[in-house]
Amino acid sequence: MKRFRPSIASTLVVLILLPLLVSLGFWQLGRGEEKRQMLIHYTENQSAPPMSAELLPTTADPAYRRVQLRGSFDAAHSLLLDNSTREGKAGVELIQPFHDQSSGLWLMVNRGWLPWPDRRTPPVFDTPGQPVNLDAWVYISPGATFQLHPDTQSARWPKLVTAIDPAKIWPELNREGFAHELRLEAGPAAYRTDWPVVAMGPEKHLGYAVQWFAMATALVGLYLYLGFNHVRNVRNTKKQEKPHGNGDESSQHI
């Protein structure tokens, strides 16, 4: 029977890589389950009746809840969320403070995506000057993102940002407002509003998990193959290194 005697180097490689590959696979499975629960949560809250803005601060779970608004935009303090594409085209999302008349609450409303093909000129958009009725829903980021926080004290508006945190922006504007972003539904004041609920669906995470587990399996298979063949390779090497017999030695002296 073949003896399993792997080399020290291959054992060290497996001890380092195998736990990493397996943990990455289970991490992808966990992320996929989080996304699945998120989509279920989105569907449930989107199907609930719309709520008024005055209930938002006291709602325990406002994520994805639909909200009816009436009020006016603050066009003087617009934010342009960068690094947003649609169908391969560069653009930005237009986010503006909105004052709801019924509740007196300030809200950060995302009016949707608009193209920005030429970075040498600012994006073109307009803002309703009169009070408007809006349908929106609450968006809460599933996790912390790297942010270049907007310098709202600067005199130049609109501001180009990579991410927003309304809870930090309101104090800089000397206002009290809702801590999360609201995204408009399609309507007169909205631009393109086809946001994906999640950037990567659960099935993608499952596919990545399968890849990590397949790599772990291949690593174990290679380790076993090398371990069982290591002894044979060592024996063959020793045979090749043995000195020649006496007859050969005498022939070399002649």
Side-chain angles (χ1 to χ4, degrees):
M1 293 179 63
K2 289 185 177 181
R3 298 177 61 185
F4 180 69
R5 189 174 294 176
S7 66
I8 296 177
S10 62
T11 301
L12 290 175
V13 170
V14 170
L15 288 176
I16 294 172
L17 291 183
L18 185 60
L20 176 63
L21 295 174
V22 173
S23 63
L24 286 172
F26 281 109
W27 178 76
Q28 287 289 352
L29 289 179
R31 289 291 292 159
E33 179 61 20
E34 289 177 8
K35 297 292 182 66
R36 190 180 72 83
Q37 293 297 330
M38 191 182 303
L39 291 173
I40 293 174
H41 190 195
Y42 172 81
T43 302
E44 291 176 348
N45 281 6
Q46 283 279 295
S47 61
M51 60 188 300
S52 63
E54 61 186 353
L55 297 177
L56 281 176
T58 58
T59 301
D61 182 19
Y64 314 121
R65 287 295 305 268
R66 298 176 63 230
V67 186
Q68 291 181 331
L69 309 173
R70 177 169 177 77
S72 303
F73 285 103
D74 175 10
H77 298 99
S78 301
L79 298 171
L80 301 173
L81 186 61
D82 202 5
N83 300 325
S84 181
T85 61
R86 294 292 188 276
E87 299 166 355
K89 298 179 181 179
V92 291
E93 295 176 22
L94 174 62
I95 304 172
Q96 294 177 313
F98 182 88
H99 189 243
D100 183 70
Q101 293 179 349
S102 62
S103 63
L105 186 66
W106 279 99
L107 307 157
M108 199 63 71
V109 175
N110 190 328
R111 295 178 56 196
W113 181 89
L114 59 149
W116 190 16
D118 188 356
R119 293 250 167 180
R120 294 170 297 182
T121 60
V124 178
F125 61 89
D126 55 20
T127 304
Q130 69 284 354
V132 291
N133 295 318
L134 303 176
D135 293 316
W137 55 278
V138 179
Y139 173 74
I140 297 179
S141 176
T145 58
F146 173 76
Q147 301 185 35
L148 295 178
H149 193 64
D151 180 13
T152 49
Q153 300 299 329
S154 172
R156 296 185 60 184
W157 293 88
K159 299 190 182 302
L160 187 66
V161 298
T162 57
I164 66 163
D165 184 352
K168 295 180 179 179
I169 295 175
W170 294 126
E172 296 177 3
L173 295 177
N174 295 317
R175 295 170 181 169
E176 292 184 3
F178 186 55
H180 303 291
E181 171 189 338
L182 274 75
R183 292 181 167 181
L184 279 190
E185 297 180 1
Y191 287 95
R192 185 168 174 174
T193 59
D194 55 342
W195 294 283
V197 181
V198 291
M200 184 185 299
E203 66 285 347
K204 286 284 188 179
H205 289 285
L206 177 60
Y208 286 134
V210 170
Q211 292 180 14
W212 288 121
F213 289 138
M215 292 174 65
T217 303
L219 178 65
V220 172
L222 181 61
Y223 177 65
L224 294 175
Y225 173 80
L226 294 176
F228 281 117
N229 286 273
H230 178 68
V231 175
R232 186 178 65 180
N233 293 337
V234 170
R235 288 176 179 174
N236 291 338
T237 302
K238 289 182 178 180
K239 287 180 180 179
Q240 294 175 0
E241 293 176 350
K242 281 184 178 181
H244 296 290
N246 295 333
D248 293 336
E249 291 179 356
S250 60
S251 62
Q252 291 175 1
H253 291 293
I254 297 174

